[in-house]
Coordinates of all heavy atoms in Angstrom, one line a residue:
V1 N 61.6 15.5 47.1 CA 62.7 15.8 46.1 C 63.2 14.6 45.4 O 63.3 14.5 44.2 CB 63.9 16.5 46.8 CG1 65.1 16.6 45.9 CG2 63.5 17.9 47.4
V2 N 63.4 13.5 46.2 CA 63.9 12.3 45.6 C 62.8 11.7 44.6 O 63.1 11.2 43.5 CB 64.2 11.3 46.6 CG1 64.6 9.9 46.0 CG2 65.4 11.8 47.5
T3 N 61.6 11.7 45.0 CA 60.5 11.2 44.2 C 60.4 12.0 42.9 O 60.2 11.4 41.8 CB 59.1 11.3 44.9 OG1 59.2 10.5 46.1 CG2 58.0 10.8 44.0
A4 N 60.5 13.3 43.0 CA 60.5 14.2 41.8 C 61.7 13.9 40.9 O 61.5 13.8 39.6 CB 60.5 15.6 42.2
I5 N 62.8 13.7 41.4 CA 64.0 13.3 40.6 C 63.8 12.0 39.8 O 64.0 11.9 38.6 CB 65.2 13.2 41.5 CG1 65.7 14.6 42.0 CG2 66.4 12.5 40.7 CD1 66.7 14.6 43.0
E6 N 63.2 11.1 40.6 CA 62.9 9.8 39.9 C 61.9 9.9 38.8 O 62.0 9.3 37.7 CB 62.4 8.8 40.9 CG 63.5 8.4 41.9 CD 63.0 7.3 42.9 OE1 61.9 7.5 43.5 OE2 63.7 6.3 43.1
Q7 N 60.8 10.7 39.0 CA 59.8 11.0 38.0 C 60.3 11.6 36.8 O 60.0 11.2 35.6 CB 58.7 11.8 38.6 CG 57.9 11.1 39.7 CD 56.8 12.1 40.2 OE1 56.7 13.2 39.9 NE2 56.0 11.5 41.2
V8 N 61.2 12.6 36.9 CA 61.7 13.4 35.8 C 62.9 12.8 35.1 O 62.9 12.9 33.8 CB 61.9 14.8 36.3 CG1 62.5 15.7 35.1 CG2 60.7 15.5 36.8
L9 N 63.8 12.3 35.9 CA 65.1 11.8 35.3 C 65.3 10.4 35.2 O 66.2 9.9 34.5 CB 66.2 12.5 36.1 CG 66.3 14.0 36.1 CD1 67.3 14.5 37.1 CD2 66.4 14.6 34.7
A10 N 64.6 9.6 36.1 CA 64.8 8.1 36.2 C 66.3 7.7 36.3 O 66.8 6.9 35.4 CB 64.1 7.4 35.0
P11 N 67.1 8.3 37.2 CA 68.5 8.0 37.3 C 68.7 6.6 37.9 O 67.8 6.0 38.5 CB 69.0 9.0 38.3 CG 67.8 9.3 39.2 CD 66.6 9.2 38.3
V12 N 69.9 6.0 37.7 CA 70.2 4.8 38.3 C 70.6 4.9 39.7 O 70.5 3.9 40.5 CB 71.4 4.1 37.5 CG1 71.0 3.9 36.1 CG2 72.7 4.9 37.6
A13 N 70.9 6.1 40.2 CA 71.3 6.3 41.6 C 71.0 7.8 41.9 O 71.2 8.7 41.1 CB 72.7 6.0 41.9
V14 N 70.5 8.0 43.2 CA 70.3 9.3 43.7 C 71.1 9.5 45.1 O 71.0 8.6 46.0 CB 68.9 9.6 44.0 CG1 68.7 11.1 44.6 CG2 68.0 9.5 42.7
V15 N 71.9 10.5 45.2 CA 72.7 10.7 46.4 C 72.2 11.9 47.0 O 72.0 13.0 46.4 CB 74.2 10.9 46.0 CG1 75.1 11.2 47.3 CG2 74.8 9.7 45.3
I16 N 72.0 11.9 48.4 CA 71.6 13.1 49.1 C 72.9 13.6 49.9 O 73.5 12.8 50.6 CB 70.5 12.7 50.1 CG1 69.2 12.4 49.4 CG2 70.4 13.9 51.2 CD1 68.6 13.6 48.8
Q17 N 73.1 14.8 49.7 CA 74.2 15.5 50.4 C 73.6 16.5 51.3 O 73.0 17.5 50.9 CB 75.2 16.2 49.3 CG 76.6 16.5 49.9 CD 76.7 17.9 50.3 OE1 75.8 18.5 50.9 NE2 77.9 18.5 49.9
A18 N 73.9 16.3 52.6 CA 73.3 17.3 53.6 C 74.4 17.7 54.6 O 74.4 17.5 55.8 CB 72.2 16.5 54.4
E19 N 75.5 18.3 53.9 CA 76.6 18.8 54.6 C 76.8 20.3 54.3 O 76.2 20.8 53.4 CB 77.9 18.0 54.3 CG 77.7 16.5 54.4 CD 78.9 15.7 53.8 OE1 79.4 16.3 52.8 OE2 79.2 14.6 54.2
G20 N 77.8 20.9 55.0 CA 78.1 22.3 54.7 C 77.7 23.3 55.7 O 76.7 23.1 56.5
G21 N 78.4 24.4 55.8 CA 78.2 25.4 56.8 C 76.9 26.1 56.8 O 76.4 26.6 57.7
G22 N 76.3 26.1 55.5 CA 75.0 26.8 55.5 C 73.9 26.1 56.3 O 73.0 26.8 56.7
R23 N 74.0 24.8 56.5 CA 73.0 24.1 57.3 C 73.0 24.6 58.7 O 71.9 24.6 59.4 CB 73.3 22.6 57.2 CG 72.9 22.0 55.9 CD 73.2 20.6 55.8 NE 72.4 19.8 56.7 CZ 71.2 19.3 56.6 NH1 70.6 19.5 55.4 NH2 70.6 18.5 57.5
S24 N 74.2 24.9 59.2 CA 74.2 25.4 60.6 C 73.4 26.7 60.8 O 72.9 26.9 61.9 CB 75.7 25.5 61.1 OG 76.3 26.6 60.4
L25 N 73.4 27.6 59.8 CA 72.6 28.8 59.9 C 71.1 28.5 59.9 O 70.3 29.3 60.4 CB 72.9 29.7 58.7 CG 74.4 30.1 58.5 CD1 74.6 30.9 57.2 CD2 74.8 30.9 59.7
E26 N 70.7 27.3 59.5 CA 69.3 26.9 59.6 C 69.0 26.0 60.8 O 67.9 25.5 61.0 CB 69.0 26.1 58.3 CG 68.9 26.9 57.1 CD 67.6 27.5 56.9 OE1 66.6 26.8 56.9 OE2 67.5 28.8 56.7
G27 N 70.0 25.9 61.6 CA 69.9 25.0 62.8 C 69.9 23.6 62.5 O 69.3 22.8 63.3
L28 N 70.5 23.2 61.4 CA 70.5 21.8 61.0 C 71.9 21.1 61.2 O 72.9 21.8 61.0 CB 70.2 21.7 59.5 CG 68.8 22.2 59.0 CD1 68.8 22.3 57.5 CD2 67.7 21.4 59.6
A29 N 71.8 19.9 61.6 CA 73.1 19.1 61.7 C 73.5 18.6 60.3 O 72.7 18.5 59.4 CB 72.9 17.9 62.7
E30 N 74.8 18.4 60.2 CA 75.4 17.7 59.0 C 75.1 16.2 59.1 O 75.2 15.6 60.1 CB 76.8 18.0 58.9 CG 77.2 19.5 58.6 CD 78.5 19.7 58.1 OE1 79.2 18.7 57.6 OE2 79.1 20.8 58.2
V31 N 74.7 15.7 58.0 CA 74.4 14.3 57.9 C 75.3 13.6 56.8 O 75.4 14.2 55.7 CB 72.9 14.1 57.4 CG1 72.6 12.6 57.4 CG2 72.0 14.8 58.5
P32 N 75.9 12.5 57.1 CA 76.8 11.8 56.1 C 76.0 11.6 54.8 O 74.8 11.3 54.8 CB 77.1 10.5 56.8 CG 77.0 10.8 58.3 CD 75.8 11.7 58.4
R33 N 76.7 11.8 53.7 CA 76.0 11.5 52.4 C 75.6 10.1 52.3 O 76.2 9.2 52.8 CB 77.1 11.8 51.3 CG 77.4 13.2 51.2 CD 78.4 13.5 50.1 NE 79.5 14.4 50.6 CZ 80.4 14.9 49.8 NH1 80.5 14.6 48.6 NH2 81.3 15.7 50.3
Q34 N 74.6 9.9 51.6 CA 74.1 8.5 51.4 C 73.4 8.4 50.0 O 72.8 9.3 49.5 CB 73.1 8.2 52.5 CG 71.9 9.2 52.6 CD 71.0 8.8 53.8 OE1 70.7 7.6 54.0 NE2 70.5 9.8 54.5
V35 N 73.5 7.2 49.5 CA 72.8 6.8 48.3 C 71.4 6.3 48.7 O 71.2 5.3 49.4 CB 73.6 5.6 47.6 CG1 72.8 5.3 46.3 CG2 75.0 6.1 47.3
V36 N 70.4 7.1 48.3 CA 69.0 6.8 48.8 C 68.2 6.1 47.8 O 67.1 5.5 48.1 CB 68.3 8.1 49.2 CG1 69.0 8.8 50.4 CG2 68.2 9.1 48.0
R37 N 68.7 6.0 46.6 CA 68.1 5.2 45.5 C 69.2 4.6 44.7 O 70.1 5.2 44.3 CB 67.2 6.0 44.6 CG 65.9 6.7 45.3 CD 64.9 5.6 45.7 NE 63.7 6.2 46.1 CZ 63.4 6.7 47.3 NH1 64.4 6.6 48.3 NH2 62.3 7.2 47.6
G38 N 68.9 3.3 44.3 CA 69.9 2.6 43.5 C 71.2 2.3 44.3 O 71.2 2.2 45.5
R39 N 72.3 2.2 43.5 CA 73.6 1.9 44.1 C 74.7 2.7 43.4 O 74.5 3.0 42.2 CB 73.9 0.4 44.2 CG 73.9 -0.3 42.9 CD 74.2 -1.7 43.0 NE 75.6 -1.9 43.5 CZ 76.1 -3.1 43.8 NH1 75.4 -4.2 43.7 NH2 77.3 -3.2 44.2
L40 N 75.8 2.9 44.1 CA 76.9 3.6 43.5 C 78.2 2.8 43.8 O 78.5 2.6 44.9 CB 77.0 5.0 44.1 CG 77.8 6.1 43.4 CD1 77.3 6.3 42.0 CD2 77.7 7.4 44.2
D41 N 78.9 2.4 42.7 CA 80.1 1.7 42.9 C 81.3 2.5 42.5 O 81.8 2.5 41.4 CB 80.0 0.4 42.1 CG 78.9 -0.5 42.5 OD1 78.7 -0.7 43.7 OD2 78.2 -1.0 41.6
G42 N 81.8 3.3 43.4 CA 83.0 4.1 43.2 C 82.7 5.4 42.4 O 81.5 5.8 42.2
P43 N 83.7 6.1 42.0 CA 83.6 7.4 41.3 C 82.8 7.2 40.0 O 82.7 6.2 39.4 CB 85.0 7.8 41.0 CG 85.8 7.1 42.0 CD 85.2 5.8 42.2
V44 N 82.2 8.4 39.6 CA 81.4 8.3 38.4 C 82.1 9.2 37.3 O 82.9 10.0 37.6 CB 80.0 8.9 38.6 CG1 79.2 8.1 39.7 CG2 80.0 10.4 39.0
V45 N 81.7 8.9 36.0 CA 82.3 9.6 34.9 C 81.6 10.9 34.7 O 80.4 11.0 34.9 CB 82.2 8.8 33.6 CG1 82.5 9.6 32.4 CG2 83.1 7.6 33.7
V46 N 82.4 12.0 34.4 CA 81.9 13.3 34.0 C 82.5 13.6 32.7 O 83.7 13.5 32.4 CB 82.3 14.4 35.0 CG1 81.8 15.8 34.6 CG2 81.8 14.1 36.5
E47 N 81.6 14.0 31.7 CA 82.1 14.5 30.4 C 81.9 16.0 30.4 O 80.8 16.5 30.6 CB 81.2 13.8 29.3 CG 81.3 12.3 29.2 CD 80.5 11.7 28.1 OE1 80.3 12.5 27.1 OE2 80.0 10.6 28.2
E48 N 83.0 16.7 30.1 CA 83.1 18.1 30.1 C 84.0 18.6 29.0 O 85.2 18.2 29.0 CB 83.5 18.7 31.4 CG 83.4 20.1 31.5 CD 83.8 20.7 32.9 OE1 83.0 20.5 33.8 OE2 84.9 21.2 33.0

């Protein structure tokens, strides 16, 4: 997934979020969020 994101979007950072109640239905533990590519310095801007 991360490789595909990099190929298609070339972002400066990729965050993986592996939390939420739906994971327990799959027998999965919750994992703290992490920046797996690049770096993230604080909140990001959203234009809406």
Side-chain angles (χ1 to χ4, degrees):
V1 168
V2 174
T3 299
I5 289 171
E6 291 182 311
Q7 290 177 358
V8 176
L9 301 175
V12 299
V14 179
V15 178
I16 290 291
Q17 200 259 43
E19 305 167 333
R23 287 177 60 87
S24 64
L25 300 176
E26 289 276 305
L28 299 171
E30 294 195 19
V31 180
R33 292 177 226 189
Q34 54 182 321
V35 182
V36 295
R37 295 290 191 276
R39 59 179 294 177
L40 196 58
D41 298 316
V44 302
V45 167
V46 178
E47 294 182 31
E48 182 179 287

